[in-house]
Amino acid sequence: MTSYVESFSPGEGRRRPRADFHSDAPRLSLNGDWAFRLAPTASGPSFWAPEFDDSGWDRLRVPSHWVLEGHDRPLYTNTAYPFPIDPPHVPVENPTGDYRRHFDWPYSGRAVLRFQGVDSCAKVWLNGTELGHSKGSRLPFEFDVTGLVRPAGNVLAVRVHRWSSGSYLEDQDMWWLPGIFRDVELLGGTVDDLFVHASYVDGLGTLRVDADPPGIVELPELGVRVPTGETVTVPVEPWSAERPRLYKGVLTAAGERIDLAVGFRTVSIVDGRLLVNGAPVLFRGVNRHEHDPDRGRALDPSTMLRDVLLMKRHNINAVRTSHYPPHPEFLRLCDEYGLWVVDECDIETHGFVYAGWEGNPPDEPAWRDALVDRIERMVERDKNHPSVVVWSLGNESGHGAAFGEIESWIRERDPSRPVHYERDRSYRHSDFASVMYPSLEELEAIGRRREPTPEGVEPDSPDDVRRRGLPFLLCEYAHAMGNGPGSLVDYQRILEAHERFCGAFVWEWIDHGLHAPDGGLLHGGDVDHLPNGGRYCLDGLLFADRTPSPGLLEYAKAIEPVEITIADGRVWLRNRYDFADLSHLRLEWTAGDEAGELPTPYVPARHAASVPAPRGDLLTVRAVLAAGTAWAPAGHVVAWGQAPVVPPARAFRPAGAFRGVRFDDGQLVRLGDLDLSGPVLDVWRAPIENDRGQGFRNDVTRAWRAVGLDRMLHRVEEIRTEDGRVVVRGRSGPAGQAIGLRTEMCWEPAGDAGVALTLRVTPEGVWTDTPIGGHAVTLPRLGLRMGLPAGLTRARWFGRGPGESYVDSQAAARVGLFAADIDAMQSHYPWPQENGNHIETRWLELTGDGVPRLRVEGDPWFDFTARRWTSEDLDRATKPAQLVPSDRVWLNVDYGQQGLGSASCGPPLPERYRLPIRPYTFRVRLYA
Ligand code: IPT
């Protein structure tokens, strides 16, 4: 009786897939409160008879995932299946939810029952009659219930299995969240399907709408009134993500009126470049999973809109719907607000990697129908969206003959869109070459079409030659796990330098943390189940509650649509739009206290121009929206540039003797009235996720910890007073090791209650030959740490801000005068780690009520972080709640810190962003 759960069949009794559309036909939402019971296995007792008594059952809202509503628990795995690889079978332990709901349907005519998404397999009964079953969690399925549905007193019963054969095709890196998690609806109407073909060439749009049954198409704005099946060509404005011009209209067929929102656009690949409407495009994209910390993938429309607005406001112009078709409403929003979409099918068989890809479904004929079924359901549902410009066959599913079949199916059904599939290195079934997470050097080679031939492909074979000729789509890069990613600007520069690139998608949009009952956030490792993917689900540009992380701000800057540079008395504007000129932008400038506006020159897409620059200090030019748009108000900053700010070379001459300064045992303990625990050499930072690499790859923390950089001990060797200076010589080294860092701190008087400090660091012993993980040891940080009174609450500084910055993530931070509360300068990563650094700080003041201030001046500049806990506390903590303010403010004034990189899934940090073991000299001045 439960054999359907494990059969290869994608479903039974369902209607054939069709477009998702809104019409004036009767529609009844069956969302809401359902009766629910959960059983431990698939073969629970019968419950579908209308008269069955469910009064003892629980209630459950639909749509939802039962594991987030107090039944059983969510599980997270990255690549591994949470059940044995024994296809198509699943364990007897198969939590199964039974759902019941009563409803009336006071309409006559055809009636269709639609489920927009059920995870992972549902069997459905209406009024005791079995309708069929379906698999394919993130895709709709429908049953024709005409004649079965009654005007009143209907009983719908649904049995949902957590695991099914379909689960083998759904091994995406995300939480396993069973349940009816998208809308359930009953639809009247007679129109079965419609297919809008709307192309654009040189000012003319060509439209043909095919519909079953046929009808009349009206687009009043264009004066179009034509029967379906007939082609018209009229002058139109094209649709693009930059200017999402939609023509609203109706299709009237068999008395039903269907909303049309037609966007005219043509996608093509010409000479190895992706073109839309004849022009090259560059996707500045993100990979978006559907996620909400309370509701999982059961997103409401306001959350979808929030995603779209956040993307638009951060200059993102494209979405890869990793790794399944999203709720159809999201695509409607993409049409309306303007986002290019790579619509990805709900296919991933990643876990077969643990079987050496033996039995991988795309390579097994038995799975063919299930795979083709998913592609059909995606393409049929989403075919009318102008925003969808590429079909993606799926993610991380190895290769196999099925990809050839599904590719042919798409070519036949919708030749208007190119097809993407990354993992088959022959790229035979893809119109794009594609890889994930290349290094900068690899990407550069790809741009030049000089990448090495992939393994398994014969050099200069037809596949090899064809691949080199293809446009390149970077479907994942810049792993946004924890603090990072770094190098976004570096990547963008390469992506814009080569015609082959059509764009890139950061991994990923949002952290998949789930709210825990105690108010904290859960990641996979917090659920007691093996295997689990640990924290790997926390890798988004948004925190789980949709607060932008510093990484999102950096990305917005890296991809801003106008590059503004100021040089030689001119403001240069490089228009990075693919279609728009800059006439929708106003150019505002500030310089010190002065402000003004510049004329916006005419700059066509992908061209540059300049205007004379105003004079003044700290000249900053901002391109802002001249008028409000659907996604942001007038004045919203889309891009900015700043004249290079050269730090003033301030000659410092030590003057006189120390005044108001006390040293104790070689440490500075008092400056004016300020008590401090003197600066000590600090080389440690609480590792960020990217320091830990991926598995054993690129884990620099192993080397750091192996040599003991996390537990340096300090010795003062000599304190000497010479020529009015205090020179403290010492040595810092880890327990059990002969290596060390010799330090010399040379203190000189700098006026009343002021000191100038020169730190010299010289490594000692053999550092570089560490056998640990193949990594030469580098320093996480190099600088000085001091403990200050807890009464200091506020920071003011001149340097980069207002947000945090690192050597490889600094574009979003401009140079200026900033102020912030120390407590507000922390980024609360769900897994605590280094954060809140500020590079290129010229000076810093910490102040608080009733406490003497501290002023730090750079020579010329320094990095700083200020927080109420130490790096060791940060390192130890596994949850933000464990970070409790100590009785001090811990201030780091540093020469520098290692960059962020993206090594949690990606290449190692480029050498130029590391601090090698070598001698360093660093100068600062401290004043009370
Ligand atoms: C890549 C996956 O496609 C994506 O789903 C996610 O898991 C990402 O990695 C890491 O967070 S696959 C990887 C083998 C490059």
Side-chain angles (χ1 to χ4, degrees):
M1 211 185 49
T2 60
S3 58
Y4 65 95
V5 175
E6 298 183 306
S7 73
F8 288 104
S9 157
E12 239 173 64
R14 302 169 306 172
R15 299 182 80 248
R16 68 179 175 82
R18 58 164 174 162
D20 188 279
F21 54 82
H22 290 168
S23 91
D24 66 348
R27 175 181 173 274
L28 176 71
S29 168
L30 296 175
N31 293 348
D33 190 39
W34 291 51
F36 177 78
R37 112 185 135 185
L38 186 65
T41 67
S43 51
S46 147
F47 69 106
W48 44 86
E51 57 281 3
F52 180 87
D53 178 10
D54 61 23
S55 57
W57 288 21
D58 286 322
R59 310 298 298 179
L60 184 76
R61 61 173 156 176
V62 168
S64 75
H65 305 281
W66 70 67
V67 290
L68 302 184
E69 306 286 324
H71 303 271
D72 202 357
R73 57 193 181 151
L75 301 177
Y76 167 65
T77 61
N78 172 4
T79 50
Y81 287 104
F83 44 79
I85 306 176
D86 180 19
H89 305 292
V90 294
V92 170
E93 298 84 352
N94 186 1
T96 291
D98 291 338
Y99 294 71
R100 282 172 59 94
R101 193 199 204 279
H102 294 253
F103 68 91
D104 299 336
W105 177 250
Y107 308 100
S108 56
R110 196 190 66 182
V112 171
L113 175 64
R114 175 161 72 193
F115 293 83
Q116 289 282 18
V118 181
D119 191 333
S120 82
C121 170
K123 189 166 196 169
V124 184
W125 296 262
L126 180 63
N127 299 330
T129 302
E130 182 179 323
L131 301 176
H133 81 269
S134 187
K135 296 160 195 158
S137 299
R138 270 71 58 170
L139 289 160
F141 56 94
E142 295 180 333
F143 299 105
D144 194 327
V145 294
T146 318
L148 198 60
V149 68
R150 297 192 285 251
N154 295 285
V155 181
L156 182 59
V158 188
R159 172 162 280 182
V160 180
H161 307 284
R162 185 165 199 175
W163 312 122
S164 68
S165 63
S167 307
Y168 282 95
L169 307 181
E170 298 175 3
D171 191 27
Q172 293 93 341
D173 173 9
M174 61 189 195
W175 292 96
W176 297 88
L177 299 175
I180 305 178
F181 76 100
R182 286 185 189 160
D183 314 273
V184 186
E185 310 148 282
L186 204 59
L187 307 167
T190 32
V191 175
D192 233 9
D193 197 10
L194 68 147
F195 198 162
V196 177
H197 306 271
S199 57
Y200 176 88
V201 181
D202 292 340
L204 294 178
T206 298
L207 175 71
R208 190 188 81 232
V209 179
D210 296 328
D212 177 17
I216 298 289
V217 176
E218 288 170 278
L219 298 181
E221 222 187 314
L222 293 174
V224 165
R225 189 170 191 284
V226 282
T228 53
E230 224 167 80
T231 303
V232 279
T233 298
V234 281
V236 296
E237 292 174 51
W239 188 95
S240 73
E242 291 171 12
R243 189 141 197 279
R245 184 66 164 96
L246 289 177
Y247 292 92
K248 302 275 167 91
V250 276
L251 160 69
T252 313
E256 187 177 349
R257 287 168 61 83
I258 291 163
D259 298 342
L260 296 177
V262 178
F264 292 89
R265 50 119 194 86
T266 295
V267 187
S268 59
I269 292 176
V270 178
D271 295 336
R273 294 184 88 177
L274 178 72
L275 310 180
V276 179
N277 302 332
V281 289
L282 192 70
F283 302 140
R284 300 167 172 95
V286 286
N287 280 281
R288 174 183 180 267
H289 268 284
E290 294 180 322
H291 185 75
D292 175 273
D294 296 305
R295 311 230 41 210
R297 286 187 286 276
L299 296 196
D300 54 35
S302 64
T303 308
M304 299 175 209
L305 177 59
R306 227 171 130 194
D307 276 350
V308 168
L309 296 180
L310 278 164
M311 287 177 191
K312 293 291 288 186
R313 289 175 190 164
H314 289 90
N315 297 327
I316 288 162
N317 73 358
V319 183
R320 175 179 180 232
T321 69
S322 55
H323 297 304
Y324 42 81
H327 189 287
E329 195 54 38
F330 180 75
L331 296 179
R332 252 176 226 118
L333 294 169
C334 292
D335 293 345
E336 193 178 322
Y337 289 84
L339 287 165
W340 305 114
V341 176
V342 174
D343 196 0
E344 186 151 277
C345 198
D346 194 359
I347 296 178
E348 176 160 346
T349 64
H350 213 148
F352 278 85
V353 67
Y354 302 105
W357 294 102
E358 192 67 38
N360 185 32
D363 210 18
E364 297 288 330
W367 290 95
R368 184 213 165 262
D369 289 355
L371 292 163
V372 175
D373 172 75
R374 286 170 188 242
I375 289 285
E376 287 187 23
R377 283 157 70 193
M378 169 178 79
V379 172
E380 296 298 354
R381 191 195 76 168
D382 297 341
K383 58 186 182 270
N384 295 329
H385 291 287
S387 56
V388 174
V389 287
V390 177
W391 298 119
S392 163
L393 306 188
N395 185 59
E396 290 282 3
S397 301
H399 43 78
F403 285 117
E405 299 195 37
I406 58 189
E407 181 212 345
S408 328
W409 186 89
I410 297 178
R411 303 271 187 223
E412 172 87 31
R413 179 64 177 148
D414 178 26
S416 77
R417 292 175 175 97
V419 165
H420 173 262
Y421 183 62
E422 183 263 351
R423 212 20 59 151
D424 180 340
R425 295 289 177 240
S426 77
Y427 300 97
R428 254 173 238 167
H429 312 302
S430 177
D431 293 312
F432 303 87
S434 192
V435 298
M436 296 175 177
Y437 306 101
S439 68
L440 295 164
E441 294 73 25
E442 286 162 343
L443 191 66
E444 181 71 45
I446 291 167
R448 297 178 190 283
R449 300 189 193 266
R450 296 232 179 96
E451 71 276 17
T453 301
E455 222 175 291
V457 177
E458 187 64 34
D460 300 321
S461 63
D463 280 340
D464 194 31
V465 172
R466 177 177 170 277
R467 188 199 68 258
R468 270 185 220 290
L470 295 174
F472 186 91
L473 187 151
L474 184 54
C475 61
E476 293 181 24
Y477 80 115
H479 199 243
M481 186 176 188
N483 192 350
S487 277
L488 287 167
V489 168
D490 299 332
Y491 278 102
Q492 198 59 32
R493 201 166 289 141
I494 298 172
L495 290 164
E496 291 182 16
H498 302 282
E499 292 191 345
R500 187 182 194 189
F501 294 121
C502 62
F505 296 81
V506 165
W507 187 266
E508 64 174 311
W509 175 236
I510 183 169
D511 278 0
H512 305 200
L514 292 171
H515 279 146
D518 68 1
L521 273 184
L522 295 179
H523 57 71
D526 294 324
V527 181
D528 181 19
H529 178 270
L530 286 175
N532 81 64
R535 300 189 303 271
Y536 228 56
C537 57
L538 303 176
D539 54 1
L541 294 172
L542 292 180
F543 291 109
D545 67 358
R546 289 190 157 69
T547 310
S549 77
L552 180 59
L553 306 186
E554 182 73 6
Y555 192 41
K557 176 69 179 147
I559 58 175
E560 59 189 1
V562 193
E563 187 186 67
I564 302 176
T565 43
I566 302 170
D568 306 327
R570 300 193 72 80
V571 178
W572 288 90
L573 303 161
R574 189 164 69 84
N575 180 352
R576 294 154 117 185
Y577 287 110
D578 296 321
F579 300 95
D581 59 39
L582 302 184
S583 54
H584 63 295
L585 300 174
R586 274 194 357 229
L587 298 177
E588 297 177 346
W589 62 268
T590 55
D593 293 337
E594 288 184 87
E597 215 174 289
L598 296 172
T600 303
Y602 173 70
V603 192
R606 294 190 174 221
H607 283 71
S610 71
V611 292
R615 284 177 196 286
D617 284 345
L618 267 188
L619 175 64
T620 305
V621 177
R622 294 179 178 81
V624 307
L625 290 178
T629 62
W631 47 271
H636 167 83
V637 178
V638 304
W640 58 271
Q642 203 173 29
V645 187
V646 185
R650 257 182 282 166
F652 167 72
R653 257 174 230 94
F658 289 110
R659 284 199 308 273
V661 176
R662 214 172 82 219
F663 295 96
D664 189 11
D665 271 347
Q667 291 206 358
L668 179 69
V669 294
R670 203 166 164 92
L671 199 55
D673 292 329
L674 180 75
D675 290 317
L676 64 167
S677 43
V680 290
L681 179 75
D682 191 4
V683 294
W684 186 238
R685 76 171 179 196
I688 63 169
E689 297 282 14
N690 290 319
D691 292 336
R692 303 165 61 94
Q694 186 187 15
F696 292 116
R697 276 174 53 210
N698 305 323
D699 181 353
V700 292
T701 67
R702 285 178 13 113
W704 289 347
R705 291 192 204 274
V707 301
L709 292 178
D710 56 336
R711 46 178 195 277
M712 298 287 277
L713 298 171
H714 311 279
R715 180 165 67 86
V716 176
E717 219 166 49
E718 183 189 27
I719 307 172
R720 254 192 313 144
T721 309
E722 49 184 47
D723 305 336
R725 297 181 292 196
V726 174
V727 179
V728 183
R729 294 210 169 81
R731 188 179 184 283
S732 302
Q737 300 270 15
I739 52 172
L741 297 170
R742 292 224 158 259
T743 54
E744 184 195 89
M745 293 195 194
C746 175
W747 297 95
E748 295 167 279
D752 199 17
V755 287
L757 169 61
T758 305
L759 167 72
R760 290 193 184 84
V761 177
T762 319
E764 205 175 65
V766 181
W767 282 76
T768 43
D769 282 357
T770 164
I772 314 300
H775 296 281
V777 188
T778 53
L779 298 175
R781 121 191 287 145
L782 183 87
L784 300 162
R785 182 199 302 193
M786 44 198 124
L788 301 169
L792 294 170
T793 53
R794 246 183 119 55
R796 262 180 88 229
W797 72 98
F798 187 83
R800 286 198 183 265
E804 57 193 78
S805 52
Y806 292 83
V807 59
D808 60 346
S809 178
Q810 53 168 295
R814 64 179 193 279
V815 178
L817 178 61
F818 302 100
D821 283 343
I822 290 173
D823 290 341
M825 295 174 77
Q826 321 303 317
S827 289
H828 293 283
Y829 291 98
W831 186 69
Q833 56 198 283
E834 157 59 31
N835 68 86
N837 191 56
H838 296 270
I839 67 167
E840 296 180 7
T841 311
R842 279 62 164 186
W843 58 258
L844 162 74
E845 282 177 11
L846 298 184
T847 56
D849 288 343
V851 198
R853 63 139 210 198
L854 172 70
R855 180 179 166 93
V856 185
E857 288 183 4
D859 189 9
W861 52 38
F862 56 93
D863 281 26
F864 86 92
T865 55
R867 47 180 149 249
R868 297 189 180 278
W869 36 80
T870 60
S871 297
E872 288 73 17
D873 297 334
L874 252 189
D875 184 2
R876 256 188 310 271
T878 57
K879 293 282 173 188
Q882 295 161 4
L883 294 170
V884 274
S886 68
D887 59 356
R888 316 238 79 192
V889 165
W890 297 99
L891 174 68
N892 263 90
V893 171
D894 297 330
Y895 170 89
Q897 218 188 104
Q898 152 155 335
L900 303 176
S902 187
S904 52
C905 182
L909 180 72
E911 289 303 327
R912 64 179 181 281
Y913 298 133
R914 296 179 195 247
L915 293 171
I917 305 292
R918 62 159 174 83
Y920 290 91
T921 304
F922 174 49
R923 286 191 189 85
V924 286
R925 292 187 293 275
L926 308 178
Y927 301 91

